[in-house]
Amino acid sequence: MDLFESRSAISTFLFAKSPVEAVDLAFVFCSPTLSSIVPAIALYHAGMTPRLLITGAGTAIDGSPEWSLYRAHAVAAGVPASAILVETTARNSFENAAFGAAMIEKELGWRSVRSIAVCAKPFHMRRAIMTLRQHIPAEVRLVAQPPSDPGDLAADTWWQTPEGRRRIFAELGKISAYALKGDLSDV
């Protein structure tokens, strides 16, 4: 396998994306910047999801908790607060998935959630899906909906900068660590 094929294989694996479709819930993995909420807001405004679940207790770029920045942005964009569930304690992807899935079961019940749009950074999408799959019923369909933000790493350019390469190889390492702990499921 040459360098081009290796980069292509990494991109294909990490940067999962599904066609847009109607779902029962948009599940948003927070990060310090806002781009991951954008697909969820778009789905809501298109009438393709009735609710959002925002999860993440990290620190956003403005110093606030990620969930708070994401929720405020969604509400400012016209999503009613009543359509937003917020999980405020998760500090990593495993906790996002575990705590978010528990909230879905408690607040909505799995009978009313048969499909989920997974909204996460493009390069983080594979781990987000594989981690979430570990915590939700097998019959729930997962739809990868990453943002298309120019500030995020892209599948066709990540290798062009040292920072891009560092972040991608760190993500591959995190997938390996999660897999060794048994925190991932096949998708």
Side-chain angles (χ1 to χ4, degrees), residues 11 152-161 164:
S11 293
D152 290 335
L153 291 177
D156 56 351
T157 60
W158 62 263
W159 63 84
Q160 295 176 354
T161 66

Side-chain angles (χ1 to χ4, degrees), residues 14-18 20 27-31 33-43 70 73 117-126 128 143-156 167:
L14 289 181
F15 292 82
K17 185 174 182 177
S18 305
V20 176
F27 190 110
V28 184
F29 284 77
C30 290
S31 69
T33 60
L34 280 170
S35 66
S36 297
I37 192 76
V38 173
I41 293 169
L43 286 167
Y70 274 53
H73 185 75
V118 180
C119 303
K121 293 289 187 191
F123 76 95
H124 178 55
M125 187 57 68
R126 180 64 60 188
V143 180
Q145 293 295 292
S148 298
D149 188 291
D152 290 335
L153 291 177
D156 56 351
R167 291 182 73 195

Side-chain angles (χ1 to χ4, degrees), residues 51-76:
R51 62 183 53 93
L52 284 58
L53 185 150
I54 296 170
T55 173
T59 303
I61 56 172
D62 70 354
S64 68
E66 292 168 342
W67 66 264
S68 178
L69 179 66
Y70 274 53
R71 183 182 181 283
H73 185 75
V75 169

